Amino acid sequence: MRILIGQPIHEKQIEQMKEAIKANDRIDLVLYPEGYLSDEKALEEACKVAKDYKVTIVSSYRKDNKDRAVIISCDGKKIIERAKTIPDENVELYDPLTVNYNNNTIGYILCMEILKARRDLKRVEEKIDFIVHPIGVGMFSEEQFEQWVREAKAIAQTYKTIVIGTSHADGSYRNCGVSIPISYCIENNGEPIFISKSDTRTRIVDLNTRKVEIIE
């Protein structure tokens, strides 16, 4: 499976995603950040693109000013669609956490849900083949960057699964003015396949060979 990992800037339309898909053939899945799909109209357009190009799309979309998880199948159907878990540490991650699709069990965690995932993914009975992690904006500090990478590695090691995440190239948490764009792919033993800090180039990871292609 070839996964395109994008770090776009925020936009109302989905032109960056469409251009990336058109420019890179033989990709099976596209991972874009939390909230890249700015509204339900953008979500509908993404469903059409997924069907037209026979590619699975992972991102999230905004509805009523809140982020919602979404995975769109290659026939344009929403196979995961749910609310984002609230930050309260006593609240467990909302279901569904996984979907069985094309002979893979795909896990999904949305942005700050990564901080609960190591605890709550134990509810999943089947083996997770890989976990996708759309992130809204870059990290607001070096400490946060290290914390989230550390969590991704721990999840990968605990559940013997690949974990893949990406953020937007622009924006900052609560407009604090600090943003360290991040994307990563962690092997199922907790070792990095790649970790990108403040390098917003698109990458394609082949999960069969573990090779990474950087799109200039």
Side-chain angles (χ1 to χ4, degrees):
M1 174 179 286
R2 284 166 53 82
I3 298 178
L4 185 147
I5 304 164
Q7 295 182 82
I9 61 172
H10 291 81
E11 63 174 341
K12 284 290 185 182
Q13 296 78 29
I14 60 168
E15 295 305 312
Q16 292 164 93
M17 177 185 285
K18 286 194 286 190
E19 289 303 315
I21 292 171
K22 289 177 184 177
N24 297 283
D25 57 0
R26 299 184 299 107
I27 55 173
D28 303 293
L29 186 148
V30 174
L31 173 61
Y32 261 45
E34 176 192 50
Y36 174 71
L37 305 176
S38 60
D39 53 27
E40 290 173 273
K41 183 178 179 181
L43 173 62
E44 290 176 10
E45 181 66 14
C47 289
K48 183 177 185 299
V49 169
K51 185 176 182 179
D52 288 347
Y53 290 92
K54 303 296 184 223
V55 64
T56 303
I57 294 175
V58 178
S59 185
S60 92
Y61 75 103
R62 299 283 288 175
K63 181 179 180 181
D64 300 327
N65 206 34
K66 294 182 179 179
D67 293 297
R68 296 185 66 85
V70 70
I71 298 180
I72 304 166
S73 72
C74 62
D75 58 1
K77 306 295 184 183
K78 296 184 286 291
I79 54 175
I80 277 186
E81 196 283 336
R82 65 163 170 85
K84 181 180 179 180
T85 311
I86 63 173
D88 187 332
E89 66 179 19
N90 296 312
V91 176
E92 292 194 351
L93 291 176
Y94 296 162
D95 289 319
L97 297 177
T98 62
V99 62
N100 296 311
Y101 175 64
N102 278 357
N103 299 314
N104 284 294
T105 297
I106 304 172
Y108 185 111
I109 49 178
L110 184 55
C111 202
M112 293 181 71
E113 291 183 345
I114 192 171
L115 303 178
K116 302 182 181 188
R118 192 168 18 147
R119 179 193 71 188
D120 294 348
L121 284 170
K122 64 180 181 294
R123 302 202 311 261
V124 178
E125 295 180 359
E126 66 267 48
K127 169 75 170 64
I128 303 173
D129 293 290
F130 62 95
I131 294 172
V132 286
H133 178 214
I135 304 165
V137 294
M139 306 289 96
F140 57 71
S141 67
E142 294 285 346
E143 291 76 15
Q144 188 197 18
F145 188 98
E146 295 300 325
Q147 178 193 27
W148 284 38
V149 169
R150 189 166 60 247
E151 282 300 315
K153 290 178 177 179
I155 293 162
Q157 198 167 36
T158 299
Y159 295 97
K160 304 295 187 290
T161 188
I162 296 167
V163 186
I164 311 165
T166 191
S167 76
H168 282 93
D170 65 335
S172 62
Y173 179 67
R174 294 184 177 177
N175 297 316
C176 69
V178 178
S179 178
I180 305 170
I182 181 174
S183 69
Y184 68 83
C185 183
I186 307 298
E187 180 61 275
N188 57 21
N189 61 2
E191 293 298 316
I193 295 173
F194 81 85
I195 297 172
S196 169
K197 177 195 285 186
S198 299
D199 178 352
T200 59
R201 291 176 294 178
T202 297
R203 288 165 171 79
I204 296 175
V205 174
D206 189 323
L207 293 190
N208 295 320
T209 64
R210 305 308 202 251
K211 289 184 178 179
V212 181
E213 177 184 353
I214 299 177
I215 309 300
E216 299 290 346

